[in-house]
Amino acid sequence: MDRVWVLAETGEQGPTALTLELLTKARTLAPAVEAVAWGPGTASIAAALGEHGASRVYDVGDIGGRLPGAPVAGAIAALMRDGEQPDAVLIPASYDGRDVAGRLSAMLDRPVLTNVTGLAEQDGSVLTEHPIFGGTKILHARFTGEGPGIYVVRAKSFASEPAGGAAAEVIALPPVDAGPAGAATIVQRHVEEASGPKLDEAAVVVSGGRGLGSAESYALIEELSHLLHGAAGASRAIVDAGWVPYSHQVGQTGKTVKPTVYLACGISGATQHLVGMKGSKNIVAINKDREAPIFSVADLGIVGDVHKVLPALVEALKSRS
Amino acid sequence: MHVVVCVKQIPDPAVPGALDQVTHTLDRSGKLVMDDSDSYGVEMALQLAGNVEGSEVTLVSMAPGGETSGLRTALAMGAARAILVSDDALSGSDALSTAKALAAAIRRAEPDLVIAATESTDGYTGTLPVQLAELLGMPSVTFAKGVSTDGTTLEVERQTEAGYDEVTCPLPALVTVTAGVVEPRYPSFKGIMAAKSKPIDVLSLADLGIDPSDVGVRGAREEVVDVADAEARAGGEIVMDEGDGAARIVAFLEQLKVI
Ligand SMILES: Cc1cc2nc3c(=O)[nH]c(=O)nc-3n(C[C@H](O)[C@H](O)[C@H](O)COP(=O)(O)OP(=O)(O)OC[C@H]3O[C@@H](n4cnc5c(N)ncnc54)[C@H](O)[C@@H]3O)c2cc1C
Ligand SMILES: Cc1cc2nc3c(=O)[nH]c(=O)nc-3n(C[C@H](O)[C@H](O)[C@H](O)COP(=O)(O)OP(=O)(O)OC[C@H]3O[C@@H](n4cnc5c(N)ncnc54)[C@H](O)[C@@H]3O)c2cc1C
């Protein structure tokens, strides 16, 4: 491959971690790595993008309150129609990234490979890696048709490393009119206050599941994660039940975490949960059912009641500090 | 208001999945059921339709072999009718081909609102609904944890990294809902009986004017190269809690120098 584009997302502190992971990977796939970004602050992230390997960043510009799917994909498609042809477009598996990927796929009439956790060049084509059946099997796939291939890549599939390049050259794209398809607009943002380290950055993650029995018991998970200077996570079951906000969810539809220690408390270990935490360096599980699938990935498994083990653990940790 | 809900019919998730040894596609030869993920969309559609006078809910599905059992479940919940796209040439379709087939069927229904799940249980690419919206020329709002509409405008609470956004757009539009957004109703006995006589319109590719070589295995422009066992995690130590569970965890954390 000669040229790879990376869809760059901007967070509160510059490009998101996943964006930098994708740029780092892109460097190993092609000599020319370029980014596409949107929003009012593209100039301010050009340095970080360049440092991670992007020579240029195509700037879609400020899209106001519109959801990025249609306008950003529209700008990328227009760029390609104007003759710029990457061999691959790497897109973060995020809310907005998935929207851009779906739109772009239909606009270009090119398929998408999703849930990608690995990318490697082999005999001139790029082989993707997809965990299936809860990560017990790895499927390898590749595009067979005309490029560019669109890849939606999961967080933490690759490490991010700066390469020390100069700031990416910012190339402003002409505005595109996404028409009715681009009409979805954000009228109000709600930010949930969070304290302590972020779930996907913490060295210790303590997660709770339905085995906690009630929303009130989640306080034990929060206290424990606080004592361990970690973050509190959750299974989807208790997010759906409304016990904790979605931002705590670990798994296929939630966050991917790879902490030093992951503590799963009252979580069965469904395949969709496992794909989000199986990469943790160490896994501790507490579950009253010896047959729970979570034990198949645990380094230390305690077959017991969370209502006994967790309070005792909290006490033990408190008495140490 | 005409609401169209996508309902995927999938192999029973309680039965362990299997890939066809030759094609590496998911084995869909057994009986199919309604994807649980879509029960939220069906419920949402019924509730939204209930709030806007003169509304109707139509289901759309693409499935092999004229499969309707999952659709009957959703009809029993209260939808009025269903459209099934079924054609041998669709087997092995990727998400984009599936979106093309569904788009052709949905276009005929002239919906005001299209509802899908954020991702399916079996394929979980999570890209199909947005592909569908683009093919239909509609705005889309994904990851909805709350939806309301007056029949003209759609208002959505959309999940984000940091919390959620209030998003609005004019109809017609497409929305994808997450699990837990509403509590799906159980079909009543009356509903199940009524579902048996509700109309299911079965359409082939020819009916939809789609060239069979554009979809299915022939239309797919990606291939599975191989499927391998993932590196298994080394077996850990599993112990019964004899009152020493907490102490064991503390020792483990100490050894890792986390505390
Ligand atoms: C498309 C799709 C996407 C999904 N995405 C995700 C995702 O991102 N993340 C996710 O987590 N799930 C996801 N799921 C849901 C997943 O399939 C499971 O339903 C969910 O993970 C189960 O949560 P749980 O382990 O808390 O609950 P359960 O499966 O109900 O498990 C509860 C466990 O607690 C144990 N227990 C009960 N009481 C006690 C006690 N007193 N002490 C100790 N243990 C006890 C039980 O033995 C049991 O193992 C997804 C599903 C689908 C279909
Ligand atoms: C393990 C695995 C990995 C795969 N990876 C890819 C891939 O990387 N790229 C790719 O293009 N295809 C992939 N496929 C094929 C893909 O799953 C199917 O093509 C499927 O038809 C559409 O994708 P989905 O179920 O993943 O859609 P999703 O986008 O996850 O579905 C979201 C929602 O769209 C609606 N919907 C989806 N399909 C239908 C249907 N048939 N009828 C009615 N409503 C529907 C439902 O509401 C569903 O919940 C994969 C399949 C498997 C089993």
Side-chain angles (χ1 to χ4, degrees), chain A residues 228-307:
Chain A
L228 293 169
H229 310 292
S235 72
R236 192 178 92 174
I238 71 168
V239 171
D240 288 352
W243 297 2
V244 289
Y246 179 82
S247 53
H248 291 268
Q249 184 172 319
V250 172
Q252 183 179 298
T253 342
K255 300 226 160 60
T256 302
V257 300
K258 289 192 175 177
T260 309
V261 187
Y262 187 86
L263 247 104
C265 312
I267 292 178
S268 61
T271 56
Q272 297 94 346
H273 189 78
L274 295 184
V275 291
M277 45 66 75
K278 221 183 140 204
S280 305
K281 288 190 197 69
N282 298 279
I283 297 172
V284 179
I286 309 168
N287 195 304
K288 67 174 185 189
D289 175 9
R290 175 66 186 85
E291 301 306 317
I294 191 76
F295 286 131
S296 69
V297 298
D299 299 287
L300 174 62
I302 307 290
V303 184
D305 186 344
V306 285
H307 295 108

Side-chain angles (χ1 to χ4, degrees), chain A residues 96-107:
Chain A
D96 292 340
R98 296 208 317 186
D99 283 4
V100 173
R103 291 272 170 193
L104 188 62
S105 156
M107 285 174 188

Side-chain angles (χ1 to χ4, degrees), chain A residues 96 99 103 105 109 115 135-138 140 142 144 185 187-188 190 192 253 278 280 299 301 303 320, chain B residues 100 119 124 131 134 138 140 142 162 164 166 168 221 223 225-226 228-230 233 237 239 241 254:
Chain A
D96 292 340
D99 283 4
R103 291 272 170 193
S105 156
D109 192 22
N115 288 309
T136 53
K137 293 205 179 289
I138 303 288
H140 293 106
R142 67 170 164 229
T144 52
T185 311
V187 286
Q188 179 85 48
H190 297 263
E192 278 148 12
T253 342
K278 221 183 140 204
S280 305
D299 299 287
V303 184
R320 293 170 59 94
Chain B
K100 287 178 185 173
E119 58 186 13
Y124 56 86
Q131 291 167 326
E134 179 62 26
M138 287 182 185
S140 53
T142 50
Y164 68 96
E166 286 173 42
T168 175
R221 287 157 292 172
E223 64 179 8
V225 178
D226 60 39
D229 284 328
R233 281 186 79 99
E237 190 191 359
V239 293
D241 175 34
E254 271 176 344

